């Protein structure tokens, strides 16, 4: 078996930061597992769609953009299948979650597994230089690509 690649997240909406993570997964050329958080790990300061809704969004995105169907893994912790299966070769992560990736490698090594290669994806920034995030999108600060939302532009221009 040649190996697998993993990525994880809440994926309440799919934004440009997620696009970058998913593209890096595809660039590895290996089978992809997308871990999607369960509650309470999925708790955020904003509404989070059901696991099934988020799974559908991720699967639809991969099918539309890459014509691929990743394996979906329900994440009840920050480690997921990567600490259970020695066949994982890559872990794609954001800067924000790099500490978990390092913990995953420590756990893997304690089990006698080879460490995974960490593929770090730089944080995708919005028009204002701050990170794109679901929270910022849902708060109306930015659109899914990090641009200013139209309502925000209208409010600024009315000043």
């Amino acid at each position: 078996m040649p190996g697998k690649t993993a990525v994880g997240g809440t994926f309440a909406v799919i934004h440009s930061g997620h696009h970058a993570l998913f593209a890096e997964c595809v660039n590895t050329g290996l089978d992809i597992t997308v871990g999607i958080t369960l509650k309470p790990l999925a708790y955020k300061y904003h509404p989070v769609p059901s696991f099934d809704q988020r799974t559908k969004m991720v699967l639809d995105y991969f099918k539309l953009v890459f014509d691929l169907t990743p394996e979906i893994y329900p994440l009840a912790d920050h480690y997921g299948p990567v600490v259970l299966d020695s066949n994982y070769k890559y872990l794609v992560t954001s800067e924000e979650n790099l500490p978990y990736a390092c913990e995953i490698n420590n756990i893997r090594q304690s089990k006698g597994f080879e460490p995974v290669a960490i593929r770090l994806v730089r944080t995708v920034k919005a028009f204002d230089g701050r990170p794109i995030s679901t929270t910022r999108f849902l708060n109306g600060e930015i659109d899914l690509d990090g641009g200013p939302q139209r309502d925000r532009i209208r409010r600024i221009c009315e000043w």
Side-chain angles (χ1 to χ4, degrees):
M1 179 180 277
K4 300 179 193 178
T5 297
V7 67
T10 302
F11 309 117
V13 298
I14 306 294
H15 56 65
S16 289
H18 298 133
H19 299 185
L21 289 168
F22 296 159
E24 187 62 26
C25 288
V26 172
N27 287 341
T28 69
L30 302 178
D31 290 340
I32 300 166
T33 301
V34 178
I36 300 177
T37 57
L38 296 171
K39 293 178 180 177
L41 195 62
Y43 174 78
K44 300 287 182 180
Y45 296 103
H46 55 72
V48 176
S50 71
F51 176 82
D52 290 340
Q53 290 171 307
R54 292 178 288 133
T55 296
K56 182 180 181 336
M57 283 191 297
V58 168
L59 290 173
D60 288 351
Y61 181 87
F62 269 88
K63 187 66 176 168
L64 177 68
V65 176
F66 304 115
D67 196 27
L68 295 172
T69 303
E71 176 186 356
I72 300 297
Y73 185 92
L75 282 176
D77 58 36
H78 292 286
Y79 313 112
V82 183
V83 299
L84 304 172
D85 183 344
S86 64
N87 291 312
Y88 282 93
K89 303 298 180 209
Y90 295 105
L91 179 60
V92 176
T93 190
S94 64
E95 294 169 291
E96 173 185 18
N97 290 312
L98 182 58
Y100 295 118
C102 295
E103 285 182 43
I104 285 169
N105 269 340
N106 289 337
I107 294 168
R108 284 178 63 86
Q109 288 179 305
S110 75
K111 292 181 171 197
F113 297 168
E114 290 291 318
V116 290
I118 298 170
R119 308 257 320 225
L120 184 64
V121 175
R122 298 275 177 220
T123 300
V124 179
K125 306 287 178 141
F127 75 99
D128 57 3
R130 294 174 46 219
I132 293 175
S133 72
T134 299
T135 302
R136 293 190 67 206
F137 168 74
L138 293 175
N139 285 343
E141 296 175 41
I142 59 172
D143 64 22
L144 291 174
D145 294 317
Q149 284 197 350
R150 292 188 193 276
D151 288 344
R152 182 173 167 79
I153 293 170
R154 186 169 44 249
R155 285 193 310 269
I156 291 170
C157 291
E158 289 173 354
W159 294 349

